[in-house]
Amino acid sequence: MGDTDTLAALRALMASHSPPLDALIVPSEDYHQSEYVSGRDKRREFVSGFSGSAGLALVTINEARLWTDGRYFLQATQELSDQWTLMRMGEDPNVDIWMADNLPENAAIGIDPWCISIDTAQKWERAFVKKGQQLVQTSTNLVDEAWKDRPPVEINPVIVHPLEFAGRSVEEKLKDLRQKLIQEKARGIIFTALDEVAWLYNIRGSDVSYCPVVHAYAIVTSDSAFIYVDKRRVSSEVTRHLEENGIEVREYSAVGSDVSLLASDQLKPGEAKIVGNGSYEEEDNNYELVWADPGSCCYALYTKLNSEKVLLQQSPLALAKALKNPIELDGLKNAHIRDGAAVVQYLVWLDKQMQEIYGASGYFLEGERANKKKRLESTKLTEVTVSDKLESFRASKEHFRGLSFPTISSVGPNAAIIHYGPRAETCAELDPDSIYLFDSGAQYLDGTTDITRTVHFGKPSAHEKACYTAVLKGHIALGNARFPNGTNGHALDILARVPLWKNGLDYRHGTGHGIGSYLNVHEGPHLISFRPQARNVPLQATMTVTDEPGYYEDGKFGIRLENVLIVKEADTRFNFGDKGYLSFEHITWAPYQRKLIDLSLLSPEELDWLNSYHSKCKDILAPYLDESEKAWLKKATEPITARTWMLFQIIDVKNLVSNRKLLTNIASQRQEPWI
């Protein structure tokens, strides 16, 4: 069905709805407010043609508008037809403001209440008050009615996530959770976020591509626990695992009626609860509150509760999941080592291919192409074929279970599309004269990975080098930060941007997000960003967070560098205010391309960090590589000598004096004179 036909079908359904709808909102999210959704839940993409992971479509009687954030501005302009108007979040009015200002008085605005959070619904309802507009909950999803070839439900099995990888038992997690219920005077709590259900019950699945989660809800009270899932997915082994932990399996569709029972304190387990020691237990809890996370719980379930007896507060599992236990931390470190080895193997292979097929000067040399070879069509390298090769290197590693998100494999102008998704039929061929950016990651049983590197196999321009170096300087500055307990990611975000700001440059995305432990690649509740929500949760020891500044020139190139960091306690000389201080530990290992670095722009401290990181990278990855790969990595991580660094500096007395002491230290560590 084409764009015009889809919009016509939706408008016909809107007109026949009772009451008739003046507008229909089509969010990106599924019934669980997920960032990544299954094929049958990609309603916004079906309606608009825009395939980015974030956005919202609004269809009115005579207009169609698509809101998305800065990561997707360029992509959206390429994917949207002329039937659609792109609304740039942060630049154009927010959707609620636009609707309140532009839709008529008393307008009826339709929404599937299962696809919208409590927070969002209430925010929109407040905006609609001034003109008497009304948010109308549709009884069915109108997009589903118009989507005649909607993908069918897939019956993917639930699997148990072993304790050797989870690090904490379900019994321990439920005990901590119930203590939280007592503290907050709540009788029960509803979980709709897929990663929270998976983490709490130590289960995983494959219902959403790239995310090892199960389509399920959970309810936990002081004396019972339930999971709502298609029972066809649940094997006898999984049933046993759940029942041993006092969790009753109910059908996915029963969650609505059970939330109503929970609201009236009539939700009871079918059998007596079995606690960890095998005995039966009954607990009295006279509290009336039901806890629901307003940011993740869908509005449909909220409407079944007594609004005066709801605790609208962030889920306690959001922070508990983000604070990794020692087993999870070890697993993440090991997963990133194996992943780093796969990335290096990929770079070795790609370097050789670019030289042999295209006559490129390669990863290490800057010269022009020795000769412009005429390649055979069968040897052509595209953004998709090389990303498939990268996946094959990862697939050979222990505990590999799949990718953690669609690989962003992008050449030249495509690299300027921040979340570019190459397609076999339209993707670009690799070009030795252009920058190549790849942002990729994998799911391993012991951890989730996410890494970005930017490389050039020809002769980068001075401008490209300057931009790459500014990004690298921001990447180093953030990774080396030390900060007091209580500091949030909003305060740290500037560190990665200052080197770019000095040259009037910037980027339109956040700088860091949490990483799951064999869960979602984007994990909250914390983040490092200029966005206000980054103020909500301070960084804490044992959290993971990415460090990924970038720079993008539309139609030309894009640069991004990304490592995963672990937040840890810092050993500082002093401890002002007895706050305690934190720092970061890098757990991602892959080299930064030397020839893209303008050494004249690096400080001695940055040079020392780069040499130290590369030395660790070589030593940590060597056991996972063959002899030729080791030789390549040794060359890629050779220390940049103090003498070499000095050749790139503007030599004046002031510069020499200010840097002499540190240069002497670097030189002594490398057993060489500094000048």
Side-chain angles (χ1 to χ4, degrees):
M1 185 181 289
D3 237 18
T4 304
D5 293 339
T6 301
L7 290 173
L10 281 177
R11 285 170 175 143
L13 290 168
M14 290 162 58
S16 62
H17 188 273
S18 179
L21 301 176
D22 297 279
L24 178 69
I25 301 167
V26 185
S28 301
E29 292 77 18
D30 60 10
Y31 288 8
H32 304 269
Q33 303 304 299
S34 307
E35 177 186 15
Y36 294 109
V37 299
S38 66
R40 65 185 274 104
D41 290 323
K42 293 183 177 180
R43 298 178 177 91
R44 189 224 60 229
E45 180 177 343
F46 166 73
V47 168
S48 68
F50 169 63
S51 63
S53 65
L56 179 146
L58 178 70
V59 179
T60 70
I61 301 303
N62 49 26
E63 285 190 89
R65 293 175 179 262
L66 186 285
W67 276 259
T68 192
D69 63 52
R71 295 172 297 170
Y72 295 109
F73 289 170
L74 188 54
Q75 179 180 338
T77 60
Q78 296 176 352
E79 292 184 345
L80 293 175
S81 75
D82 57 9
Q83 300 285 315
W84 289 84
T85 300
L86 173 61
M87 302 295 285
R88 293 171 169 82
M89 294 170 67
E91 298 179 12
D92 295 320
N94 289 340
V95 64
D96 55 324
I97 302 302
W98 190 92
M99 289 189 292
D101 289 345
N102 292 276
L103 294 178
E105 290 187 5
N106 304 314
I109 302 159
I111 183 68
D112 181 344
W114 291 91
C115 294
I116 185 174
S117 70
I118 302 168
D119 258 352
T120 302
Q122 292 182 337
K123 177 184 176 183
W124 289 351
E125 287 178 329
R126 289 192 296 270
F128 296 161
V129 168
K130 65 179 181 180
K131 288 173 65 175
Q133 296 159 330
Q134 182 182 4
L135 191 64
V136 176
Q137 300 179 43
T138 60
S139 57
T140 61
N141 192 295
L142 300 191
V143 175
D144 294 351
E145 293 186 41
W147 195 353
K148 300 307 180 185
D149 58 348
R150 186 182 177 212
V153 175
E154 295 183 7
I155 309 302
N156 300 311
V158 180
I159 59 173
V160 176
H161 191 47
L163 188 59
E164 65 179 291
F165 299 119
R168 295 191 72 213
S169 68
V170 178
E171 181 183 353
E172 291 175 295
K173 293 176 181 179
L174 284 173
K175 182 179 179 181
D176 288 350
L177 174 59
R178 288 181 170 126
Q179 193 60 42
K180 291 284 188 184
L181 291 179
I182 292 171
Q183 290 174 8
E184 298 296 337
K185 295 181 170 53
R187 97 154 68 93
I189 185 167
I190 304 164
F191 296 109
T192 62
L194 300 182
D195 60 335
E196 292 188 355
V197 176
W199 180 86
L200 177 63
Y201 290 160
N202 282 353
I203 56 173
R204 298 294 189 269
S206 56
D207 287 348
V208 178
S209 297
Y210 312 106
C211 306
V213 294
V214 181
H215 279 141
Y217 299 95
I219 294 176
V220 176
T221 71
S222 60
D223 61 356
S224 59
F226 305 88
I227 183 170
Y228 300 86
V229 61
D230 187 330
K231 289 185 177 181
R232 293 174 295 177
R233 307 173 188 269
V234 184
S235 67
S236 57
E237 176 198 0
V238 174
T239 299
R240 185 166 56 252
H241 161 77
L242 294 168
E243 289 180 347
E244 286 174 352
N245 287 287
I247 303 161
E248 183 175 334
V249 181
R250 295 193 173 180
E251 281 292 349
Y252 183 80
S253 58
V255 67
S257 58
D258 274 13
V259 167
S260 296
L261 291 173
L262 178 65
S264 58
D265 198 20
Q266 298 180 60
L267 179 62
K268 305 297 179 185
E271 300 176 2
K273 171 179 166 281
I274 303 175
V275 295
N277 60 12
S279 63
Y280 293 86
E281 181 181 273
E282 288 190 10
E283 298 179 18
D284 290 325
N285 181 338
N286 297 319
Y287 301 134
E288 295 185 336
L289 292 177
V290 174
W291 192 338
D293 186 329
S296 62
C297 183
C298 59
Y299 197 53
L301 293 180
Y302 173 73
T303 59
K304 299 178 183 298
L305 300 171
N306 182 338
S307 61
E308 295 179 356
K309 296 180 180 179
V310 178
L311 174 64
L312 290 178
Q313 186 170 287
Q314 185 175 71
S315 163
L317 298 190
L319 181 59
K321 176 166 51 64
L323 297 173
K324 308 304 183 203
N325 64 56
I327 298 296
E328 289 175 320
L329 289 175
D330 286 344
L332 281 161
K333 291 177 183 179
N334 291 331
H336 279 82
I337 290 171
R338 297 193 304 275
D339 199 68
V343 170
V344 168
Q345 290 171 326
Y346 173 61
L347 286 170
V348 173
W349 172 83
L350 189 54
D351 185 17
K352 182 179 180 182
Q353 296 297 306
M354 292 300 291
Q355 293 182 61
E356 291 182 352
I357 296 174
Y358 296 98
S361 55
Y363 186 90
F364 299 105
L365 301 178
E366 279 198 56
E368 303 285 352
R369 278 198 258 183
N371 54 76
K372 297 198 175 184
K373 295 186 177 182
K374 291 185 178 179
R375 56 153 184 80
L376 298 173
E377 186 66 23
S378 60
T379 64
K380 175 181 177 181
L381 297 179
T382 71
E383 293 165 329
V384 168
T385 59
V386 296
S387 69
D388 288 345
K389 186 67 176 180
L390 173 56
E391 182 176 357
S392 74
F393 284 117
R394 285 191 162 108
S396 69
K397 301 296 180 275
E398 184 181 18
H399 300 319
F400 176 81
R401 289 296 181 272
L403 300 182
S404 55
F405 59 96
T407 297
I408 299 169
S409 173
S410 50
V411 174
N414 290 339
I417 303 172
I418 297 171
H419 271 205
Y420 172 71
R423 297 177 180 175
E425 61 275 12
T426 58
C427 68
E429 182 176 3
L430 263 65
D431 179 1
D433 298 320
S434 296
I435 274 179
Y436 172 62
L437 181 157
F438 63 104
D439 183 345
S440 61
Q443 295 286 5
Y444 302 93
L445 281 174
D446 52 352
T448 302
T449 67
D450 187 0
I451 175 176
T452 308
R453 289 295 183 267
T454 303
V455 295
H456 199 303
F457 293 100
K459 184 177 177 59
S461 69
H463 178 58
E464 288 171 332
K465 287 184 181 182
C467 293
Y468 180 96
T469 308
V471 172
L472 176 62
K473 286 167 72 71
H475 177 76
I476 294 172
L478 177 58
N480 285 343
R482 291 191 175 195
F483 47 94
N485 272 303
T487 303
N488 57 50
H490 191 274
L492 296 177
D493 181 76
I494 189 175
L495 298 177
R497 297 181 191 270
V498 166
L500 289 157
W501 287 357
K502 285 182 177 178
N503 295 286
L505 306 177
D506 204 350
Y507 52 97
R508 287 191 176 103
H509 57 76
T511 305
H513 57 82
I515 293 278
S517 181
Y518 186 39
L519 270 176
N520 293 352
V521 72
H522 292 161
E523 182 178 87
H526 60 291
L527 68 160
I528 299 175
S529 177
F530 59 90
R531 295 186 173 90
Q533 57 264 41
R535 297 189 181 102
N536 295 345
V537 178
L539 297 181
Q540 300 177 41
T542 75
M543 284 180 169
T544 58
V545 69
T546 60
D547 173 2
E548 49 179 313
Y551 174 67
Y552 313 88
E553 285 197 7
D554 289 356
K556 295 180 180 178
F557 64 86
I559 295 164
R560 185 163 63 254
L561 297 171
E562 177 184 18
N563 282 4
V564 173
L565 314 174
I566 290 174
V567 185
K568 65 176 185 177
E569 293 182 359
D571 182 18
T572 55
R573 183 179 176 187
F574 302 106
N575 183 18
F576 181 80
D578 292 324
K579 291 181 176 181
Y581 283 71
L582 300 172
S583 61
F584 295 118
E585 174 186 354
H586 287 258
I587 63 171
T588 299
W589 304 106
Y592 304 95
Q593 192 178 23
R594 158 77 178 275
K595 78 176 184 183
L596 269 172
I597 302 173
D598 183 341
L599 293 178
S600 71
L601 300 176
L602 287 187
S603 70
E605 293 90 349
E606 291 163 341
L607 173 66
D608 201 33
W609 180 89
L610 185 64
N611 283 336
S612 174
Y613 175 86
H614 275 161
S615 176
K616 293 175 185 175
C617 185
K618 174 172 63 70
D619 294 342
I620 287 170
L621 298 184
Y624 297 84
L625 305 174
D626 65 25
E627 292 306 314
S628 64
E629 292 161 349
K630 287 180 188 176
W632 186 96
L633 181 59
K634 181 180 179 181
K635 188 173 182 180
T637 57
E638 283 179 350
I640 300 168
T641 66
R643 182 186 292 111
T644 301
W645 182 85
M646 283 300 299
L647 292 175
F648 285 87
Q649 304 305 304
I650 301 172
I651 301 178
D652 58 56
V653 174
K654 182 178 180 181
N655 192 45
L656 288 174
V657 170
S658 64
N659 292 321
R660 183 182 185 102
K661 183 176 180 180
L662 184 54
L663 285 167
T664 302
N665 290 338
I666 295 172
S668 66
Q669 292 169 14
R670 307 293 178 213
Q671 287 85 49
E672 57 165 325
W674 67 271
I675 191 169

